[in-house]
Amino acid sequence: MGAMPELPEVEITARSLDRHVRDAQIESALAPGVNALKTYAPPLSALEGRQILGVRRRGKHLILDVSGELALLMHLMSAGRLQLYEKRAGPRDRTSRLLLRLADGRELRLREFGSRQSAWVKLLGAGDLEADEALSTLGPEAWPDPPPLEDLLDAPRPLHALLRDQRTIAGIGRSWADEILWEARFSPYKRGSELDADEAARLRDAIVGTLGGAIAHYEEAIELPIPDKLPMPLQVHRRQGAPCPRCGSTLAAVHFEDYVIAYCPTCQTDGRVLKDRRLSRLLR
Ligand SMILES: [Zn+2]
């Protein structure tokens, strides 16, 4: 299982699928993952015979626009992939949560790895899409052109938590928050309300540059189907113990129950090693 898909990973998925399935006709739709489909009306059969108008991203969500005023809204959660195959699945693939069989013989599969079933799909009327709470609660997009951060992040909360809060700014998760804060040279615990104008601009540049750089990397590195394990160009995240690519200091980490924040003590915290917060709820 690869890392959790965030804005760059979902963006490249949307872009590459859009290039390959735009205008394709849906022959049938199945949801073998009993828990994945979160809506009842319209029924999945409403997709039969419809045309895929495009694939796009909003925050960490994927949206398939479909003819007949329909839209499929999906969240890959921690271990989902939306993959296009030239042939249909043979013996039933246990990772499949949603299968869209295309009239030309190809198949679009939402697959999920690991034991947890948390990826989800909603089939909505196109007019109901933006009002769905998954989208209506999202903050502005982190990329390509987020608003100035001075007001957006003006809260007495740690930057690492603010950047991951989808209601504050949409698209960033644990992996890219580590990378962005390393790029901008901020402590993960620096408070949003402590940013001055120059620092807010520096952080914004790091967000746009880091996420944009990752997307450019994927454009070069990825071919369809989107691989199970994405080649994420990470420099800091999950690399604690390795040398900082910028200064050579040993990268450090703060451990939580279910995740880890990695950082460079020299570049980001004036040499201070942050306390292990495994039992703390500070960043929740
Ligand atoms: Zn460093």
Side-chain angles (χ1 to χ4, degrees), residues 182 244 247 264 267:
W182 175 79
C244 169
C247 75
C264 172
C267 294

PDB file of all heavy atoms in Angstrom, residues 182 244 247 264 267, ligand 1:
ATOM      1  N   TRP A 182       8.784  21.986   5.493  1.00  0.00           N
ATOM      2  CA  TRP A 182      10.240  21.882   5.318  1.00  0.00           C
ATOM      3  C   TRP A 182      10.701  22.872   4.255  1.00  0.00           C
ATOM      4  O   TRP A 182      11.685  23.597   4.430  1.00  0.00           O
ATOM      5  CB  TRP A 182      10.612  20.444   4.917  1.00  0.00           C
ATOM      6  CG  TRP A 182      12.071  20.279   4.602  1.00  0.00           C
ATOM      7  CD1 TRP A 182      13.090  20.151   5.505  1.00  0.00           C
ATOM      8  CD2 TRP A 182      12.673  20.257   3.299  1.00  0.00           C
ATOM      9  NE1 TRP A 182      14.288  20.039   4.840  1.00  0.00           N
ATOM     10  CE2 TRP A 182      14.066  20.101   3.483  1.00  0.00           C
ATOM     11  CE3 TRP A 182      12.173  20.351   2.008  1.00  0.00           C
ATOM     12  CZ2 TRP A 182      14.963  20.036   2.413  1.00  0.00           C
ATOM     13  CZ3 TRP A 182      13.061  20.278   0.947  1.00  0.00           C
ATOM     14  CH2 TRP A 182      14.441  20.131   1.152  1.00  0.00           C
ATOM     15  N   CYS A 244      18.982  15.615   5.934  1.00  0.00           N
ATOM     16  CA  CYS A 244      18.175  16.652   5.279  1.00  0.00           C
ATOM     17  C   CYS A 244      18.772  16.924   3.904  1.00  0.00           C
ATOM     18  O   CYS A 244      19.974  17.184   3.796  1.00  0.00           O
ATOM     19  CB  CYS A 244      18.182  17.918   6.125  1.00  0.00           C
ATOM     20  SG  CYS A 244      17.488  19.370   5.300  1.00  0.00           S
ATOM     21  N   CYS A 247      20.435  20.665   4.189  1.00  0.00           N
ATOM     22  CA  CYS A 247      21.539  21.046   5.074  1.00  0.00           C
ATOM     23  C   CYS A 247      22.350  19.854   5.587  1.00  0.00           C
ATOM     24  O   CYS A 247      23.396  20.034   6.202  1.00  0.00           O
ATOM     25  CB  CYS A 247      21.017  21.851   6.263  1.00  0.00           C
ATOM     26  SG  CYS A 247      20.168  20.848   7.487  1.00  0.00           S
ATOM     27  N   CYS A 264      13.190  18.920   9.767  1.00  0.00           N
ATOM     28  CA  CYS A 264      14.625  19.106   9.945  1.00  0.00           C
ATOM     29  C   CYS A 264      14.854  20.081  11.103  1.00  0.00           C
ATOM     30  O   CYS A 264      14.435  21.241  11.017  1.00  0.00           O
ATOM     31  CB  CYS A 264      15.252  19.673   8.678  1.00  0.00           C
ATOM     32  SG  CYS A 264      16.991  20.125   8.950  1.00  0.00           S
ATOM     33  N   CYS A 267      16.812  23.292   9.832  1.00  0.00           N
ATOM     34  CA  CYS A 267      16.091  24.190   8.929  1.00  0.00           C
ATOM     35  C   CYS A 267      14.795  24.735   9.525  1.00  0.00           C
ATOM     36  O   CYS A 267      14.320  25.792   9.123  1.00  0.00           O
ATOM     37  CB  CYS A 267      15.720  23.467   7.630  1.00  0.00           C
ATOM     38  SG  CYS A 267      17.115  22.977   6.612  1.00  0.00           S
TER      39      CYS A 267
HETATM   40 ZN    ZN B   1      17.885  20.897   6.983  1.00  0.00          ZN
END
